[in-house]
Amino acid sequence: MVRDWFFMWRREFAHYNAGTFQKDLLAGLTVAAVALPLALAFGVASGADAAAGLVTAVLAGVIIGLMGGAPYQISGPTGAMSAVLIVLATRYGLEGVWLAGLLAGVMILALGLFRLGRVVALIPSPVISGFTSGIAVIIAFGQVDNFLGIKTPAAENVLEKLAIYAESAIAPNWSAVAVALIVMATMILWPRFTWGKRVPGSLVGIVLATLLVVLLGWDVPTIGAIPRTILLENRLRLTAVPWQEIGNLIVPAMSIAALGAIESLLCGAVAGNMTGVRMFTNIELVAQGIGNIIIPFFGGVPATAAIARTSVNVKSGGVTRLVSVIHGLVIMGAALLFGGLIGRVPLAALAGVLLVTAWRMNEWHAIQFFFGRRLKHAIAAFVITLVATVLLDLTQAILIGFGISTLVFMAQMSELQISRRPVEADRLGIALPTAAHNVSVYYLSGPLFFAAARRLLETVEGQDGADATLILSIRGVPLVDATGIEVLRELWHRQHTGGGDLLLTSMDQRVESQLQRGGLLDEMGPSRLFWSADKAILSLGGKLGWETAVSDPAQPLPEDSILATQTIEPFADRAEA
């Protein structure tokens, strides 16, 4: 891994010069302009404060950016992470958030060190889209108080929050509502103008709303004082770690680790497609782990790679990882120099940013694909994961969604395709004796495992008796499990004891190995194994007293004959061929 890291750095900075630095500087300033309002908003949305969001953006930008697995990754506080943290903060306070973040960092670091980055790719797309949309719902509901300019008791999930609103006499602060709407309208309309591509609408909206509040003297809640330091007074200290809560925080830490790993690797995949530069997944996980171990001791919240900020980096022409470092340093400079002004930003303005962000973070293209194409299995996994994310927590949602997707996958895979074709001697150019023998060829397609194997036995028993000779062509069978081996053994014994026979043809090497380990091939003997169905049929001539009616090469076999195919070497001789 160290070698990969040095290779990555050497490739990245091999031809670095003043022109490259200028590109990185401009991209860093652009990304910082986008990240600053989001850092403030996500810090508040996480159950901490705006200062915690700023510290997270600074440290993640510098530490994770320098050590990460790709030159384009920009990490910091994100909306998805804040949805998990707000619940955690409600239950265990900021100390619980910091300790869970530390534990999650250790878990992510372990994933990277043990090279388990690919495990994250096993989570199906509908599940990811489902909990992304669920997180968007959580973020939106979490900002209702700030949007309305009110304060209600904290709640652990959306249903509790709805119950609180139903029981409370809500009197909105219309000035706060106006501030939020101004920011939302700016974010939606600003990108339509030419200059909107250079300055982010979220930053413009916050500046505009703050100026209106100051000039008109509106009485709305604001962020409050911003400390002129990145080492916050409220932070995790080794002398005050709440070790007694560590048992309760293991599962939340798993949620944070899972989300951090998933979001970071997905971000890398998206940006990798945009740039053509492959991300070193395990190095990225190591960097994310180290960053999240350090951040709690400065008072920040867990961080992960951010797709929106990373996309801005790529589109702004960023070349190296210095973009991430520059963006972090610019945010730190803004906090130190303009902390007083930032402290006057209305919370309603941040609510407007988060509501628009929540809407945009939904994977609408994927949702449209699932529902537009009426993919019932994908829709079920998406909806169930979304509901589980909103009502339960991320870990449970991922497990439930993954379980549903697994069951759906197994149901689809269990649809073993079985095609039967009786051997008609006269159409094959074969003359049978008076006592005709029943021969059938079965073509199988799909895995022969526990969910599908029994169907083979039921199909054969309904079509052919135990005195028939059966030829199973299993070229389309990619794997066989223990149940599949047992079903084949039952079928073999049924035909063998009933006066018939069973021949196997066209085996994949993996299937052959599985049947060999299961002892079935030794039981049947090599004389019943063939490379193709035509060879198996021809081998029956001597056994059943058939005579080949067509012996003259000038008289070809019928076109629809099973035997009218290219001659392939027998199964036993294929290694030599």
Side-chain angles (χ1 to χ4, degrees), residues 222-240:
T222 60
I223 289 176
I226 298 292
R228 304 296 178 89
T229 177
I230 62 169
L231 185 64
L232 302 181
E233 179 64 26
N234 291 327
R235 64 182 188 273
L236 182 65
R237 292 179 169 86
L238 287 175
T239 56

Side-chain angles (χ1 to χ4, degrees), residues 273-414:
N273 290 334
M274 294 173 66
T275 62
V277 178
R278 181 179 66 88
M279 182 179 70
F280 290 81
T281 56
N282 294 307
I283 292 178
E284 177 66 22
L285 291 177
V286 168
Q288 293 288 340
I290 293 174
N292 280 293
I293 290 172
I294 295 173
I295 287 173
F297 293 102
F298 285 78
V301 295
T304 182
I307 294 177
R309 276 157 272 178
T310 299
S311 298
V312 171
N313 175 21
V314 174
K315 293 176 181 178
S316 299
V319 180
T320 72
R321 64 191 61 242
L322 289 184
V323 174
S324 180
V325 177
I326 292 169
H327 122 276
L329 295 178
V330 170
I331 291 176
M332 182 174 68
L336 296 178
L337 297 175
F338 306 107
L341 295 176
I342 293 174
R344 303 185 69 173
V345 172
L347 290 176
L350 299 184
V353 171
L354 288 171
L355 288 172
V356 174
T357 302
W359 174 262
R360 290 175 175 173
M361 71 184 293
N362 285 281
E363 298 180 352
W364 294 113
H365 61 285
I367 296 171
Q368 184 178 9
F369 175 72
F370 300 150
F371 285 85
R373 299 292 181 177
R374 298 181 182 179
L375 304 177
K376 297 179 181 179
H377 298 148
I379 293 172
F382 169 82
V383 172
I384 291 172
T385 306
L386 188 158
V387 173
T389 302
V390 172
L391 300 183
L392 303 174
D393 62 46
L394 182 65
T395 304
Q396 293 171 312
I398 290 177
L399 292 176
I400 291 172
F402 187 76
I404 294 295
S405 296
T406 301
L407 290 175
V408 168
F409 174 75
M410 289 174 58
Q412 292 174 324
M413 292 295 289
S414 66

Side-chain angles (χ1 to χ4, degrees), residues 421-545:
R421 186 172 183 181
V423 176
E424 301 175 6
D426 56 336
R427 297 183 64 82
L428 294 174
I430 294 177
L432 274 72
T434 305
H437 199 93
N438 185 28
V439 179
S440 296
V441 180
Y442 286 85
Y443 297 92
L444 308 185
S445 179
L448 195 60
F449 72 133
F450 65 91
R454 290 292 167 188
R455 181 168 172 248
L456 171 62
L457 198 59
E458 294 169 359
T459 301
V460 171
E461 289 176 345
Q463 297 281 345
D464 292 286
D467 59 343
T469 295
L470 308 180
I471 300 172
L472 298 188
S473 177
I474 54 179
R475 190 185 305 277
V477 176
L479 63 89
V480 178
D481 71 352
T483 303
I485 295 173
E486 286 303 311
V487 166
L488 290 177
R489 180 175 280 111
E490 286 183 39
L491 193 57
W492 154 246
H493 286 299
R494 173 183 182 265
Q495 303 308 120
H496 186 63
T497 57
D501 206 348
L502 177 67
L503 309 181
L504 298 180
T505 78
S506 314
M507 272 187 283
D508 179 272
Q509 287 188 348
R510 290 178 300 173
V511 173
E512 178 191 358
S513 176
Q514 290 161 342
L515 296 181
Q516 187 69 52
R517 289 200 304 271
L520 179 62
L521 299 188
D522 290 335
E523 276 188 54
M524 296 180 64
S527 63
R528 292 183 173 83
L529 310 178
F530 297 88
W531 179 237
S532 60
D534 61 335
K535 288 295 183 181
I537 295 170
L538 288 174
S539 74
L540 295 175
K543 295 181 181 179
L544 305 178

Side-chain angles (χ1 to χ4, degrees), residues 58-76:
V58 172
L59 294 177
V62 176
I63 298 172
I64 300 176
L66 279 175
M67 302 180 64
Y72 39 70
Q73 293 279 79
I74 306 293
S75 296

